[in-house]
Amino acid sequence: MILEILDAMERGEITKEEAAQRIARQPFEQHIIGRFDQNRKLRTGVPEVILAEGKDPAAVRAIYEDYLSRGEQLIASRVTAPVWAALEDLGDKLIHWEKARVVATKAPEPDPKRSTVLVISAGALDTPVAEEAAVMSELFGNPTERLYDVGVAGISRIAVELGRLDRAGILIICAGMDGVLPSLVAGLALQPVIAVPTDVGYGSAFQGVAPLLTMLNSCAPGVAVMNIGNGFGAAVHATKINRLLTRTEPA
Amino acid sequence: MILEILDAMERGEITKEEAAQRIARQPFEQHIIGRFDQNRKLRTGVPEVILAEGKDPAAVRAIYEDYLSRGEQLIASRVTAPVWAALEDLGDKLIHWEKARVVATKAPEPDPKRSTVLVISAGALDTPVAEEAAVMSELFGNPTERLYDVGVAGISRIAVELGRLDRAGILIICAGMDGVLPSLVAGLALQPVIAVPTDVGYGSAFQGVAPLLTMLNSCAPGVAVMNIGNGFGAAVHATKINRLLTRTEPA
Amino acid sequence: MILEILDAMERGEITKEEAAQRIARQPFEQHIIGRFDQNRKLRTGVPEVILAEGKDPAAVRAIYEDYLSRGEQLIASRVTAPVWAALEDLGDKLIHWEKARVVATKAPEPDPKRSTVLVISAGALDTPVAEEAAVMSELFGNPTERLYDVGVAGISRIAVELGRLDRAGILIICAGMDGVLPSLVAGLALQPVIAVPTDVGYGSAFQGVAPLLTMLNSCAPGVAVMNIGNGFGAAVHATKINRLLTRTEPA
Amino acid sequence: MILEILDAMERGEITKEEAAQRIARQPFEQHIIGRFDQNRKLRTGVPEVILAEGKDPAAVRAIYEDYLSRGEQLIASRVTAPVWAALEDLGDKLIHWEKARVVATKAPEPDPKRSTVLVISAGALDTPVAEEAAVMSELFGNPTERLYDVGVAGISRIAVELGRLDRAGILIICAGMDGVLPSLVAGLALQPVIAVPTDVGYGSAFQGVAPLLTMLNSCAPGVAVMNIGNGFGAAVHATKINRLLTRTEPA
Amino acid sequence: MILEILDAMERGEITKEEAAQRIARQPFEQHIIGRFDQNRKLRTGVPEVILAEGKDPAAVRAIYEDYLSRGEQLIASRVTAPVWAALEDLGDKLIHWEKARVVATKAPEPDPKRSTVLVISAGALDTPVAEEAAVMSELFGNPTERLYDVGVAGISRIAVELGRLDRAGILIICAGMDGVLPSLVAGLALQPVIAVPTDVGYGSAFQGVAPLLTMLNSCAPGVAVMNIGNGFGAAVHATKINRLLTRTEPA
Amino acid sequence: MILEILDAMERGEITKEEAAQRIARQPFEQHIIGRFDQNRKLRTGVPEVILAEGKDPAAVRAIYEDYLSRGEQLIASRVTAPVWAALEDLGDKLIHWEKARVVATKAPEPDPKRSTVLVISAGALDTPVAEEAAVMSELFGNPTERLYDVGVAGISRIAVELGRLDRAGILIICAGMDGVLPSLVAGLALQPVIAVPTDVGYGSAFQGVAPLLTMLNSCAPGVAVMNIGNGFGAAVHATKINRLLTRTEPA
Amino acid sequence: MILEILDAMERGEITKEEAAQRIARQPFEQHIIGRFDQNRKLRTGVPEVILAEGKDPAAVRAIYEDYLSRGEQLIASRVTAPVWAALEDLGDKLIHWEKARVVATKAPEPDPKRSTVLVISAGALDTPVAEEAAVMSELFGNPTERLYDVGVAGISRIAVELGRLDRAGILIICAGMDGVLPSLVAGLALQPVIAVPTDVGYGSAFQGVAPLLTMLNSCAPGVAVMNIGNGFGAAVHATKINRLLTRTEPA
Amino acid sequence: MILEILDAMERGEITKEEAAQRIARQPFEQHIIGRFDQNRKLRTGVPEVILAEGKDPAAVRAIYEDYLSRGEQLIASRVTAPVWAALEDLGDKLIHWEKARVVATKAPEPDPKRSTVLVISAGALDTPVAEEAAVMSELFGNPTERLYDVGVAGISRIAVELGRLDRAGILIICAGMDGVLPSLVAGLALQPVIAVPTDVGYGSAFQGVAPLLTMLNSCAPGVAVMNIGNGFGAAVHATKINRLLTRTEPA
């Protein structure tokens, strides 16, 4: 861009002062803005993810109509019932993962060069968070598998699925209550473990604080922790790891 | 006791009014005091357990001299360095478990009719709490074994010690950091599990709050939780269970 | 199982390599899975307990229809109104404890060889938690009695019921607000005390945190604490103690 | 005072403007300052109570020398070792309650017309707080008695001391750990109960938060709670109640 | 009672053994039960106060019908809309303070020999708690006055009402948000101050924790603190103080 | 700067590509770096403020020697005893405010065109924080006054100092315990109030959390709150307000 | 006022005693009341701001009818749906900012002599708090601008709006989640920064506690923090700063 | 292993029963133990990491002498002064990173096929945690760079170091106080970001809780959070990511 301006100046189309002025107006656009805009695209592999919960349903619909008209991908997380009610008659143009509370304009296209993201959940009540992680992971281009309901009561299922753990590249583990599953799996597997506490549990689980603390204090070192219920964040971290695997420039 | 008073009244040694007054003064002695005094003995199998920490060392020594002169058992917990300094020259008459910070006037006498208490710890830093539980358990008359340092890094040792778990009657499990060991063991063993959080760990372990919450929220149901660092309480609960096993009256 | 495979190998029905492969596939099933499955049965005396709250009512009904068709026991805790609505027309085949929010396919069958579990509550508002503990205790095979509404205002009732305390083997005590009842009873009784805080109370009870802390810090040592509102866990711990009493192998 | 100014104005000693200005400057002195100064005296029965802890020992000594030279009462609370070291050679002119960490220039003079303040403590480690309450209560002019070490382990002593409870007018109860003593006593006695949590206890006592919450949530209604360790505040509240008893004007 | 039994024994109506047995059965009734029952009456001046919130409305109505038929006083606090709906058609026989959420079968009868309880509130939103305190105080027999909405914005009203403060005997002060009013008033008045935090305020008021802490830490010493929203407790403490004023036996 | 590069390019001293590269490297320097560097100077009126606490004393001394050799101002906050020990022999070249724990190479030069900052403290123990605010305020060029020890016990002093409050432009108020002073003063004064909680107080002050919450919830609206003990931050905010008063460009 | 009384006394219309009595009755009115009443007006530039949330809608309407009949300004914050329903038919006489939840009887009249208040928000969900701040700021007479939705995802917009930041006099910044925006902007701008945390975010944002702590701990010194969601308080603090700029008396 | 046993059985060296017994004893060794042991090696690239803090210095020395004699790598974290004192005379055989508090028997050998780990810190006081992360990262075989002291005050240094950020593969960011640096960097960079809160800061930083919450709530999605001060954990997670990059089997 600067070169173009200097070219125009060399060609005499603009004066030196005009060139200086144009250049002076650009740096943020080039460096900061450009970086952020490019960043967001690369970061998620999609143009935009919006948090639907708490937003005006009509406003969310308007954004969706805009993106549909331009044929671009738009992902919404935490799509509550009232938001979906406003979107429902666009339903054949949208994809709606109800459990995951996610809506998108385009289907996932997994990139086979990436390693597989395996999303594990401890109990049936952790499914919404696990599904948010899994659907987002797919929408961000990662081959994604699910291994649900393998908490303490179902730990034998982990034992018989050790092969799947070994074949996976990245593990996202969602658990409420005591939140011990990530500690246990991180002791059994070599892959990066991303732990997501959920707000499942009785009184002293404190809406997810108990599993959050368990995960932060994991005896198995290296467990990476996300906010309570933040399946989306786990999917982004997994995607960043996968992007590292496939980047061509030297690291 | 009431009969004795009525006898004395019949014999004319005391008036009816005096009898009434004496009787009126007794119910608490009979019911409340008696119950508490009898209770304390039965509860611990020893006349007295005192918390030494924070007490005046000279005062603790004075109590010990008194009990030694009467030849009775006296147990002190949390015996800090200054307290032990005041007791040290009585040392040949006292038994001192340094790791456990426990002092007693008499050696343990395990009752073979009771079931074995197995004290398990997750890591080396949990040993003081585990030892407090184990020594107290022995002093209260329980056959007691130890299985230490079997947290996530040492979980394979649990695997090879499953036989000891199966033979034990009651499990006391001490763990800091993420506190997952009781959840894990309670999934592998049928015995009553008593969990003791310790204050071992980094920042967000919050001096034992993290493992305390993990244990309270254990997915494996029925884990009984003690206060942070309260190995003594775990030994008392185990002793109460064992006492139930050996009581002769119908339950 | 291994012997059967070796027999088959000896009989020439399978090759040595096939035998090695079959054996290699089994260890988890034999050791881990077997242990967990056997464990769950022994632990509760029933095939399965599910947490109904938060689950899809239709899914809960489907599980119940399956268990009914197989004639097996299935227990659900925290049965909320919408879940019960989905189950209601199966009502003559199910047993519903409304206060306890528990549903089962089979009636309790108390084992007279076990000691009695006495469930005590402090106030009328603690009843749902106390009932969960009591009904679960019965369903797990324990002779179970109730002594409700004996908090500070009703402490005189404890005084007149000391006989029942003495005859019981295990005490489960449910209390909200200041949560002092377990401390008080543990001072009066020799039995193992299992304390369950409830979320009853004004502002600074913090939905059960105040009684939880009171119970964890009980001056009467050896009180075993459960999570806030976790009557189910108390019943499991009591059942494990009772199972210890009746096991035939040496402890 | 206003009349004196008007007199001076009438006598021509000051102008009307000067009179207005002087009057305008006084209301705070008359109303606010006067009230606060008079208040402090009446409130405590002594001219001044200072918190010694954290203050410069030399500065505390200077204040004491000043008060001694004027023959006035000066009370210091939380007199730490370094502060006392600076005061020690004034020792024959000062009264030092070591356990209570209180120093005063004059001895207590209890007012027999007031009702007795009975200070109760749960355990030996609660004594410093209980003594602060008791000594302050005496210094503020209340007949004061002590009943120490009557927590759960010593509850029988309460039973035999019911007479002393009944004769007392106001009860101050100091307890750490589970803090149940005020709940229990408030159920047995009709007097106003002032509860003071102490920071005695294991991990989850959280330096007094556990007994503080227990006391705030007391099932026995009407327990008045002070800050953790604030024996001084309890003595002031008791003194205010006693002052109400002896005021002559209609209430 | 004991004397009666001894009389019967002297008259030969019962044997000595029967006398001993009868006496042995009584102590708790005489000492503990009697004390608690007598206590409850004296404590509140009414036979019974029940917490209606959370209770089954039909059950509350049944209790009211019982008390009405016996012509006895029954007070309910926290009467929520559904509870009142169940009571409403008994309305002409009941007194309902809607703001205070209190219902009673009998009108208050203030005892003129007691000192006046002045209930002060900081803001309009604190009124429900203040009214609970005021109505309860009246129902417990205390002359009671109100001074509402005098927080920082209305502090000038306190200035003009200093006379009412001075005439009152006991001050109950209800405040949310920063909870500074009790500190301020305790600096201006000599009476016992009972502070009640309310759950009024923005985010970091934490449903009353902020004013609770302010009150516990009051610079003006001697402020007695109640649980968040516990106007009932404040009224009980005030009543206990007033009872002390009017008791005839020596204190 | 861009023009200089274009000039050099026009003069043929650098190629067009070199010009583009140089320009591309500059925007951050021009916009971000320049802004931050200029900002820091303007923000505090001094080149640098460093937090000494926790830093290596020798390293702090080295920085001071460097600034002294260049004759520039350098301010250090939280100068602990070991840090000062390392600086002490530079003492005649440094100014040390011991109470405030501040060291500087140059004396304050108040700017008379600014409004006065009045630093108010509640009690003697709040002085270190108040002095940090006051000395920093002076070093940042603000005319600064002090009004200390005017908490509830000394509130009459506020009354007689209303004139000083009125003459001040900005009020910084430091208080621990209940932290009510800012609420009170903000009700009496029109100036911007900056509140600084201190960690002074008993147990439930929680090292400053209680006054922090009080200040955040102030009923007198518009109180600006700083972190616990952050007198430095208060001085910076006051300086920013004063800078606004004296800036010449239109606002 | 005092002079008038002295005049009347000089004229013989009242006696000296009557003059003294009248004067004695006034001081609070003159000093405290007058100060508070004058204060409130000056503080906000409007006669009254009421918090509508939680108040009886009919009562709010009654106040509005009163102020409308007197033609005076009345502002209500937190106008919930039920409150607005009660006011709606007065709608043509009232101004309603729906997003800001503010209602007023008179339109804002910005004072051009004041500096501009720039209200910045991080995300769309922070708008209600930001709008409360902005509308209140306008109603209090400040020229006010908005710069919304410039959090991390939109940080490039801050870069291109640096000019607006520089022209503003005071910055109010509203942010939830991690609350980093005030730290970032305070590093880029010289103006006083007022930070308002919002309750936007996932689990561990704890309804605004996370951004509150971030803002209190800002590395960029001098950030002034308001309570969670307290846009009104931010507007008051900004107005107090602006008032300082325009006061004519010496500071 | 199984085949060897079967061979021995075929050769008649052991009976079929002995074969079955030997096989039965192996599964845990094969599956669980083997996995854990293999795991620990692969996970860290070194045989063992021990937490020295809190351990008996003599015991740590004994382990080091053992590893040195066997010529194996042994890493210790949190090497406090007393531990180092016990190791010091082994100093020429050990490598000691004092700032990082790390000791090892062998020097790091970075694997050039891995991507670079860039460790970033906000301020000088965060260095110990950052160094622990950096030294551990090197010891685990990762090419590791450092970029320290680039918090808000030094943010311009980030601007000029964007190239280093872009070349790095994984970013570990250590920050205390407000903890905003990870949010900011995650908005500027595409790499996986691992955030480590430190306990640096004033009162309301709560020993690292404030930056912990900031990081968990980061607006820039995908930030992976470690426990407070857990530089070791960050290095392990980074190593696991790098291991994924270099594994040869299909993912």
Side-chain angles (χ1 to χ4, degrees), chain G residues 8 17 40 50 55 104 135 138 162 183 205 215 219-220 227 236:
Chain G
E17 282 67 28
R40 196 187 308 174
I50 60 170
K55 289 222 175 64
V135 170
E138 287 169 336
L162 287 172
S183 284
M215 292 165 182
C219 286
N227 196 348
V236 172

Side-chain angles (χ1 to χ4, degrees), chain D residues 206-240:
Chain D
F206 298 120
Q207 282 82 48
V209 171
L212 171 64
L213 293 184
T214 307
M215 293 165 181
L216 285 167
N217 287 286
S218 173
C219 286
V223 171
V225 184
M226 293 290 142
N227 196 349
I228 300 163
N230 192 359
F232 165 53
V236 172
H237 189 60
T239 306
K240 286 188 167 193

Side-chain angles (χ1 to χ4, degrees), chain A residues 2-189:
Chain A
I2 296 175
L3 265 181
E4 289 172 27
I5 296 172
L6 295 185
D7 283 339
M9 170 184 143
E10 267 197 336
R11 286 194 302 269
E13 294 169 13
I14 57 172
T15 66
K16 188 171 65 180
E17 282 68 28
E18 284 172 334
Q21 193 183 26
R22 282 198 191 176
I23 288 168
R25 278 205 310 264
Q26 289 178 359
F28 282 112
E29 205 170 328
Q30 290 179 313
H31 283 75
I32 295 288
I33 303 183
R35 176 169 287 267
F36 268 93
D37 284 359
Q38 171 202 32
N39 211 357
R40 197 187 305 176
K41 254 210 193 76
L42 290 174
R43 184 170 64 218
T44 61
V46 293
E48 190 80 36
V49 179
I50 60 170
L51 176 67
E53 191 174 42
K55 291 223 174 64
D56 177 18
V60 175
R61 184 193 167 96
I63 306 176
Y64 263 99
E65 287 176 342
D66 179 40
Y67 272 72
L68 283 170
S69 72
R70 288 189 284 121
E72 287 181 21
Q73 173 67 299
L74 177 69
I75 301 170
S77 71
R78 303 282 164 121
V79 177
T80 55
V83 171
W84 180 242
L87 295 175
E88 208 159 16
D89 64 318
L90 301 172
D92 55 341
K93 296 173 197 149
L94 299 175
I95 311 175
H96 183 205
W97 291 263
E98 199 176 337
K99 273 264 170 191
R101 296 162 299 173
V102 170
V103 164
T105 53
K106 299 190 171 186
E109 299 178 25
D111 175 353
K113 291 195 303 296
R114 298 193 184 177
S115 70
T116 297
V117 175
L118 178 61
V119 181
I120 303 174
S121 79
L125 296 172
D126 303 313
T127 305
V129 173
E131 272 298 289
E132 183 181 286
V135 169
M136 287 288 183
S137 174
E138 288 171 335
L139 284 165
F140 299 165
N142 304 295
T144 304
E145 298 191 0
R146 289 154 173 88
L147 179 55
Y148 285 179
D149 216 356
V150 293
V152 163
I155 202 171
S156 53
R157 288 194 50 208
I158 285 217
V160 297
E161 301 274 18
L162 287 172
R164 286 181 70 193
L165 258 76
D166 289 347
R167 282 190 302 277
I170 300 158
L171 307 177
I172 294 174
I173 308 180
C174 306
M177 299 184 69
D178 56 11
V180 307
L181 197 57
S183 283
L184 191 68
V185 173
L188 287 165

Side-chain angles (χ1 to χ4, degrees), chain B residues 141-155:
Chain B
N142 305 295
T144 305
E145 299 191 1
R146 291 154 172 86
L147 179 56
Y148 287 179
D149 216 357
V150 294
V152 164
I155 201 170

